[in-house]
Amino acid sequence: MTPFERPPVGMNLGRTAKLVAQAFDAALVEAGGTLPVWLTLLSVKSSTLANQRELAGMIGIQGATLTHHLNAMEAQGLLTRRRDPVNRRVHLVELTEAGEAMFETLRKAALVFDKRLRVGLPDERLAEFAQVLAALRANVES
């Protein structure tokens, strides 16, 4: 078998990741959100009074990009920012009642999407897949 009879693993993985990401984005939009809103809400919800620098790191984006998203989400009433009393240069981010409601809506959409993604895949195969993904990450990180 020549190398071109089947796509390289990286190409196949990239195509699949892109397709899954697009479908997940569409599911979030249908639920009234976006991927950046979901990632921000999830990150804020999973930390106690996270500051903007920590949030950017959790989400994997630059601080300036996060500021843009936080400004929009604050204008929508999904979160509030306030100065840290210990370090006035740091903003602490908290969800509002509307942010909590949006989090719950998008959480449900994410769970429905995950269930759709797993259809026909037994737990053993998913566990093996997780191991393969971990090995691929380790191969590129070293």
Side-chain angles (χ1 to χ4, degrees), residues 40-120:
T40 303
L41 292 173
L42 182 61
S43 296
V44 172
K45 185 79 171 163
S46 64
S47 353
T48 307
L49 295 176
N51 68 53
Q52 287 187 213
R53 183 178 298 128
E54 291 170 343
L55 281 175
M58 284 189 258
I59 297 169
I61 59 176
Q62 298 294 318
T65 303
L66 178 64
T67 299
H68 170 75
H69 292 305
L70 292 177
N71 288 343
M73 292 174 71
E74 193 170 31
Q76 294 169 349
L78 299 176
L79 55 84
T80 60
R81 290 181 283 184
R82 63 181 172 85
R83 299 257 182 218
D84 184 338
V86 176
N87 182 350
R88 302 281 302 150
R89 294 176 295 162
V90 174
H91 283 95
L92 301 175
V93 182
E94 295 178 282
L95 298 185
T96 62
E97 224 176 276
E100 293 281 353
M102 177 61 79
F103 170 81
E104 192 56 34
T105 297
L106 296 182
R107 185 186 71 79
K108 288 176 184 173
L111 290 172
V112 167
F113 181 81
D114 189 62
K115 186 175 180 180
R116 174 180 158 213
L117 197 57
R118 293 168 176 257
V119 166

